[in-house]
């Protein structure tokens, strides 16, 4: 890797990295929300555990939304 990266290039790489993290969180949270009923039925978890999965996915979506807004503001600001 070249050592002569400009600060602007480093900033773009950091923004891209954070965007990928946000995308992965959204994908995993969506998959967890879709698989929650199947997982609860297969493993025999109570409904409370399924609701806990839904609550965790809502938290992940909220974090991703807030992080995406911050990323957008940092990129355009």
């Amino acid at each position: 890797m070249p050592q002569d990266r400009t600060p602007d290039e480093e900033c773009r790489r950091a923004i891209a990295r954070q965007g990928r993290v946000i995308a992965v969180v959204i994908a995993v949270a969506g998959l967890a929300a879709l698989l929650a009923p199947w997982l609860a039925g297969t493993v025999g978890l109570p409904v409370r555990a399924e609701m806990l999965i839904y609550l965790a996915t809502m938290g992940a979506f909220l974090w991703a939304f807030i992080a995406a807004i911050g990323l957008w503001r940092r990129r355009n600001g």
Side-chain angles (χ1 to χ4, degrees):
M1 292 215 152
Q3 298 296 331
D4 55 346
R5 290 188 189 142
T6 64
D8 189 42
E9 184 179 344
E10 287 296 325
C11 185
R12 284 196 311 265
R13 287 181 184 266
I15 288 172
R17 190 177 318 116
Q18 187 175 6
R20 286 190 299 268
V21 169
I22 292 169
V24 167
V25 168
I26 290 171
V28 170
L31 191 61
L34 290 174
L35 293 178
W38 173 81
L39 182 66
T42 302
V43 179
L45 296 173
V47 176
R48 290 177 71 176
E50 185 178 347
M51 290 298 122
L52 184 61
I53 294 171
Y54 287 136
L55 185 62
T57 59
M58 285 191 299
F61 282 130
L62 180 63
W63 174 86
F65 180 69
I66 292 169
I69 288 173
L71 183 66
W72 176 73
R73 289 183 68 190
R74 189 168 74 169
R75 193 188 79 203
N76 291 333

